[in-house]
Amino acid sequence: MPVYEYVCQDCGAPSEVRATVDEYSRGLQVRCRECGSERLDRVFSSVAVNSGSPPPSCCGSGGDPCRCRS
């Protein structure tokens, strides 16, 4: 489920809201958790991405068995 981040225009407090894409597209109503304001700006943040490839081995050969240990 996506996390949408906001910053309140009135008090500057950050807020996070977990909602489905469908809920967001139907007009998600967000209030500041600190002051109750409805005047929030959405903040675009970085996203963690998993490439699905195995991590490199200690030899740096991209997941092949390590031959540097006996």
Side-chain angles (χ1 to χ4, degrees):
M1 184 173 303
V3 175
Y4 298 96
E5 297 182 36
Y6 296 88
V7 174
C8 180
Q9 293 179 10
D10 294 331
C11 73
S15 295
E16 290 185 352
V17 176
R18 293 185 190 277
T20 65
V21 173
D22 186 49
E23 288 172 321
Y24 182 78
S25 66
R26 284 186 281 149
L28 188 64
Q29 297 296 315
V30 182
R31 287 184 173 266
C32 176
R33 293 180 184 174
E34 295 293 321
C35 71
S37 174
E38 293 180 353
R39 295 175 9 106
L40 289 104
D41 290 323
R42 183 159 172 217
V43 178
F44 292 92
S45 58
S46 61
V47 178
V49 177
N50 181 355
S51 67
S53 61
S57 71
C58 63
C59 297
S61 56
D64 293 333
C66 183
R67 295 183 179 90
C68 60
R69 296 185 195 161
S70 10

